Amino acid sequence: MSKQPLSFSIVDVFAEHKYEGNQLAVFRHAAHLSTEEMLAITREMNFSETTFILSEEPVNGGYDVRIFTPKEEVEFAGHPTLGTAYIIQKDIVGHPVQQIVLNLKIGQIPVTFDEKNPGMAWMQQKPPIFGEIIDLDTIAAVLGIPASSIDPRYPIQEVSTGLPALIVPLKSLKDVQRCKVNRDLYFQLIEPLSAKMILVFCPETCQAGNTLNARVFGDYYGAPEDPATGSANGDLAGYLVKYRYFGNESIDISVEQGFEIMRPSILYHRASQKEDHISIQIGGKTIYTAKGEWV
């Protein structure tokens, strides 16, 4: 592996306070690293994801960035997008800007900063694609819950705004909290699917003022449970609008995640449908926690 020092930063994303949300390591000056080196560094960090900034100047209007989980590179992920844009603004650009664009494997993703709310930013996700529908008994067995815990009014369906997730509507907070993934059945389920993550949600919350509670399971990516998942929440936002979960074609809500694993996170959803197009923005706060040099 290259001995050239790399600077890195650690941030908490979708965090209302330090040491909450989802941790992210962001490496700069990484263009010389091979894919294998990036993956090895990601495994050493052992966060849900680690990102590598390849360009210190915009390329075609955006900054080249690669995103890795401990298992593999991914085309898109939510908290790495927000967290990396935050570091680019703070440490590369060096002053507040309205927008940073990331050049990811999936394409360009713009991140817009809230001038009135420091650390708060919104990313525009791709329009949702709706895939396979899974039967109720199958997913109940995977989650280790009775089938009666699942809300039968809505489908159990694959949705993707860049990184697919299987969306599962549950009835109560108790049902969400009792989920315990059967690892063997989970891997059997996802093997033929595009979605490798499972997002469960319900309309009851741990914290007053939030709209939904969610958990995300993604052992395939090396994260048995993720504290805050922007990509899967984008999938959820598209699902909520398509199936009129709140009775209309637009939403402006807050979703709590990570409470069950002591990493409380808040993800903000803005989504609306006009004709066949669903526009989705996922927002959250980023907090700087550490910086250093890789040797």
Side-chain angles (χ1 to χ4, degrees), residues 10 26 32 104 131 133 235 251:
I10 297 175
V26 182
H32 68 282
L104 304 178
I133 292 177
D235 302 338
I251 60 172

Side-chain angles (χ1 to χ4, degrees), residues 113-236:
F113 296 93
D114 186 338
E115 296 178 358
K116 298 179 181 179
N117 192 347
M120 181 70 182
W122 295 85
M123 57 186 163
Q124 182 74 45
Q125 296 190 198
K126 300 292 185 182
I129 297 171
F130 295 87
E132 294 288 330
I133 292 177
I134 305 302
D135 73 87
L136 186 146
D137 290 328
T138 296
I139 196 64
V142 170
L143 296 172
I145 57 175
S148 59
S149 295
I150 300 171
D151 189 336
R153 296 175 298 170
Y154 306 98
I156 301 154
Q157 189 171 19
E158 287 184 294
V159 187
S160 179
T161 56
L163 190 64
L166 187 63
I167 307 298
V168 184
L170 301 184
K171 294 179 179 178
S172 72
L173 184 60
K174 181 179 178 180
D175 293 321
V176 170
Q177 292 173 337
R178 75 195 337 186
C179 288
K180 188 175 181 180
V181 174
N182 181 310
R183 202 164 179 271
D184 290 340
L185 293 180
Y186 160 80
F187 279 103
Q188 288 177 28
L189 171 68
I190 66 169
E191 198 277 329
L193 299 180
S194 297
K196 308 303 181 186
M197 295 184 290
I198 300 173
L199 182 149
V200 301
F201 75 97
C202 74
E204 295 179 353
T205 59
C206 297
Q207 190 177 80
N210 295 324
T211 315
L212 300 175
N213 177 279
R215 296 176 73 183
V216 175
F217 307 106
D219 206 2
Y220 174 89
Y221 294 113
E225 181 164 0
D226 201 31
T229 319
S231 57
N233 271 268
D235 302 338
L236 173 61

Side-chain angles (χ1 to χ4, degrees), residues 128 130 154 234 236-253 269-281:
F130 295 87
Y154 306 98
L236 173 61
Y239 176 100
L240 296 171
V241 169
K242 178 178 175 63
Y243 293 110
R244 302 295 191 267
Y245 189 85
F246 295 105
N248 54 51
E249 70 281 357
S250 65
I251 60 172
D252 187 351
I253 64 172
H269 293 209
R270 291 176 181 167
S272 61
Q273 182 167 13
K274 292 182 180 179
E275 298 179 349
D276 292 332
H277 179 80
I278 298 177
S279 176
I280 296 169
Q281 287 186 310

